[in-house]
Amino acid sequence: MFLSHQLAAVYGALTAVVLALATATALFADEHPWWKNFYLPLLDIFTMGDPATEESVARRVLQLLAGFVGLAVLPLVVAATMNATEAFRTASASHPPDDGVHGHIVLVGLGMVGTRVLDRLRATDHQVVAIERDPRARGVPLARQLGIPLILDDATAPGVLELARVRHSGSLLVLTRDDGQNLDIVMAVRETNPAVRVVTRLYDDAFAATVQRTLRASYPDALTRSRSVSALAAPSFAAAMMGRHVLGVMPVERGSLLFTCVDVAGHPELEGRSVHEAFRENAWRVLAVGAAAGPLPAAEAVDGLTGPHPGRTGFDWRPAQGRLLRAGDRVVLATTRRGLDILMTGVRPHPADRRR
């Protein structure tokens, strides 16, 4: 199982060379007994024999020839042996899924992003099969701790995706750092399982959008998404810089939706307008109204907007569309980045942010 084609080819070539030299020794050097015809060429190949200075010319020529063959073959033998040893070690450390696994999620890449995704998936009781080529990757210990089927191999290598039963999977997450490799994996999987749901990580957001459009056009019946991690993370960094005004960030398709807390006073787009009139398409929408003198709502309040929640104290999360927004009000808005740029102009920082 672990005898690679490369190792078999190298040792096969070595065996052929030994047989050829043994035959030549038997024909021209006439060594006795017969086993010396094999023994002496092996010693010469591995540079372990004594110089044949006192023997026949044929024997000396064959010894020189065997020495040159040894110089050429031995590095190949060592390299092939080391590769086979590494393949055996990797294969023995892998734990592929059982034959009965189906409808699972195949996760390729257990780096920083892949590890976080794996942790979240297992928290929601999803069945996951992980593929990672680096046994020292950040998420490998977590996968083993959680008892997740793990394949330590390159996902682009022949047979690896089949070993992960991607043909029978429900979803594929490709999260390695290599954009080209991610795209190769997605295309390979699309050939074997055209209906699988695919999410792939690409660095450049414009390239990710092009890949998504192309794959959706090529496989209209399949769900394909490509995402730029840097583009998704950018709003969160911007929100952190804005202090407590931003409660949370939610990615929506290729953009982001920000939940923002804003005092109505001094905002002509808000002050003196009703909740309905304050709505601006593709910019912001009022979600809740409270008193400006009260505490800011907890960030957890944006997790869901129905039912009781301890973070909503003092805020009306179902304001009437005709309610008038006054200077003493504070509102929670769902905004786009463009809308946030407009609203944040001239906003006074919260006292807690001034003390930082």
Side-chain angles (χ1 to χ4, degrees):
M1 176 179 178
F2 302 108
L3 187 64
S4 67
H5 295 295
Q6 182 186 43
L7 188 64
V10 170
Y11 277 97
L14 179 60
T15 302
V17 168
V18 171
L19 289 175
L21 289 173
T23 302
T25 302
L27 292 175
F28 301 108
D30 192 24
E31 294 289 344
H32 297 285
W34 65 267
W35 55 266
K36 282 190 176 183
N37 296 325
F38 296 91
Y39 180 66
L40 293 176
L42 280 173
L43 291 180
D44 295 333
I45 288 176
F46 293 107
T47 64
M48 297 171 63
D50 294 327
T53 55
E54 304 299 328
E55 302 183 35
S56 64
V57 174
R59 174 75 184 94
R60 293 197 294 269
V61 171
L62 289 172
Q63 187 177 57
L64 290 174
L65 181 61
F68 280 114
V69 171
L71 290 175
V73 173
L74 284 181
L76 296 178
V77 172
V78 173
T81 303
M82 292 182 64
N83 287 342
T85 303
E86 177 65 19
F88 179 85
R89 186 190 65 79
T90 300
S92 61
S94 298
H95 300 283
D98 298 331
D99 293 339
V101 173
H102 66 279
H104 56 289
I105 298 174
V106 177
L107 172 60
V108 182
L110 291 177
M112 184 179 298
V113 176
T115 303
R116 297 290 298 273
V117 171
L118 175 62
D119 189 47
R120 293 295 297 272
L121 287 175
R122 290 299 293 178
T124 54
D125 295 328
H126 284 88
Q127 189 175 27
V128 182
V129 174
I131 303 176
E132 172 56 55
R133 63 182 177 183
D134 183 5
R136 298 177 298 275
R138 179 190 296 260
V140 170
L142 176 63
R144 288 175 173 158
Q145 177 185 346
L146 296 174
I148 290 173
L150 173 64
I151 301 173
L152 290 175
D153 207 338
D154 191 339
T156 59
V160 174
L161 291 173
E162 288 297 325
L163 190 61
R165 297 183 58 81
V166 71
R167 189 184 299 272
H168 306 280
S169 66
S171 302
L172 171 72
L173 300 175
V174 189
L175 305 177
T176 77
R177 297 181 180 180
D178 189 330
D179 286 7
Q181 184 184 56
N182 290 348
L183 192 55
D184 288 342
I185 294 171
V186 171
M187 297 304 298
V189 171
R190 277 280 177 251
E191 293 299 320
T192 59
N193 189 354
V196 67
R197 297 187 297 272
V198 173
V199 177
T200 181
R201 167 190 178 184
L202 299 173
Y203 178 77
D204 185 84
D205 191 51
F207 178 56
T210 301
V211 168
Q212 179 169 300
R213 287 194 302 268
T214 303
L215 289 177
R216 285 187 174 181
S218 302
Y219 302 92
D221 296 331
L223 181 61
T224 303
R225 285 192 173 93
S226 58
R227 291 290 182 264
S228 166
V229 176
S230 55
L232 291 175
S236 296
F237 281 97
M241 292 295 295
M242 293 176 183
R244 300 191 177 190
H245 292 290
V246 177
L247 303 176
V249 181
M250 178 186 298
V252 180
E253 283 298 323
R254 310 219 68 82
S256 298
L257 193 64
L258 298 97
F259 296 93
T260 313
C261 188
V262 178
D263 289 342
V264 171
H267 280 287
E269 299 284 352
L270 301 175
E271 188 175 359
R273 296 174 181 263
S274 67
V275 170
H276 175 72
E277 293 171 340
F279 167 70
R280 179 183 287 190
E281 187 176 2
N282 298 324
W284 62 74
R285 178 189 293 273
V286 176
L287 300 180
V289 182
L296 289 170
E300 292 82 1
V302 301
D303 290 343
L305 301 181
T306 59
H309 195 291
R312 303 190 188 117
T313 304
F315 276 79
D316 179 7
W317 287 82
R318 292 182 179 179
Q321 292 296 303
R323 176 171 177 172
L324 194 66
L325 300 179
R326 299 181 174 85
D329 292 333
R330 175 178 290 159
V331 294
V332 176
L333 306 173
T335 75
T336 62
R337 280 182 283 183
R338 183 174 65 88
L340 184 64
D341 290 339
I342 298 173
L343 288 170
M344 288 294 104
T345 303
V347 171
R348 295 184 298 275
H350 190 271
D353 293 323
R354 291 197 191 100
R355 294 193 293 268
R356 293 182 182 180

